[in-house]
Amino acid sequence: LKAVEDQMLSVFQEGGSILLDDDNAAEQLILCKKTADSVSRKMEAAERVQLQMQQARNHHMKVAKRGGTLFAAIQDLPELSGIHHFSSQWFRKMFMSAVIQCKERDLAQREYARERNPERRLQMFILAVTEVSLGVVLGGLEDR
């Protein structure tokens, strides 16, 4: 836009008093207007994409919060028994594995894919991740 603005100022300075009679000046002004409109459309599209990304980020924040809650609960297990220690690195790998398993399971069952309500889909996913995560943790406790 700065280049368009500079070009328009140059046309005004060179055009003298009768800009509309100068074909080159009129063409330059039309070109500048088209460029400005194109930039405006691209900026609007970028703002829409940015909004969609922010909404998706907020949507998935609920899964991250559930992960934080699960991690906090698992970190308290050593208070029950000294042998139940889980590292944050282990938990991260386990949680990501649970997310992947849930995606694969949901795609195989198509239940998740059929659900049209985004909030309900998210709740189904959070529940599935929780079940898989707790299953891994409880399985680890049984093995110990």
Side-chain angles (χ1 to χ4, degrees), residues 74-75 77-79 81-87 90 141 144:
I74 290 169
Q75 288 303 105
L77 288 176
E79 293 179 18
S81 172
I83 62 170
H84 305 304
H85 289 279
F86 298 95
S87 71
W90 174 87
L141 292 177
R144 293 180 181 198

Side-chain angles (χ1 to χ4, degrees), residues 3-118:
V4 170
E5 182 181 299
D6 290 343
Q7 191 175 12
M8 287 178 65
L9 288 173
S10 174
V11 168
F12 286 139
Q13 288 174 348
E14 294 170 3
S17 61
I18 307 176
L19 284 175
L20 296 177
D21 289 340
D22 185 352
D23 289 340
N24 185 38
E27 287 175 17
Q28 288 298 319
L29 290 173
I30 290 170
L31 179 62
C32 290
K33 171 74 171 122
K34 287 180 181 178
T35 303
D37 289 345
S38 174
V39 169
S40 293
R41 283 191 303 276
K42 289 177 183 176
M43 288 177 63
E44 288 171 4
E47 288 172 0
R48 282 192 302 274
V49 168
Q50 188 176 16
L51 178 63
Q52 289 171 344
M53 289 174 59
Q54 185 61 40
Q55 289 171 338
R57 209 175 284 124
N58 291 341
H59 189 72
H60 290 92
M61 185 58 71
K62 294 176 184 178
V63 176
K65 285 181 181 178
R66 177 58 59 98
T69 301
L70 290 170
F71 180 72
I74 290 169
Q75 288 303 105
D76 287 343
L77 288 176
E79 293 179 18
L80 299 174
S81 172
I83 62 170
H84 305 304
H85 289 279
F86 298 95
S87 71
S88 60
Q89 185 177 23
W90 174 87
F91 180 82
R92 183 183 170 281
K93 286 180 183 178
M94 182 277 307
F95 190 75
M96 292 306 296
S97 175
V99 168
I100 291 168
Q101 286 178 36
C102 290
K103 284 182 179 180
E104 290 171 353
R105 183 176 74 186
D106 287 336
L107 289 176
Q109 294 176 353
R110 297 288 184 214
E111 178 183 352
Y112 178 78
R114 285 192 305 265
E115 181 60 52
R116 295 291 177 221
N117 181 336

Side-chain angles (χ1 to χ4, degrees), residues 112-125:
Y112 178 78
R114 285 192 305 265
E115 181 60 52
R116 295 291 177 221
N117 181 336
E119 195 61 34
R120 174 73 181 125
R121 283 177 72 162
L122 180 65
Q123 291 304 319
M124 291 168 64
F125 187 72

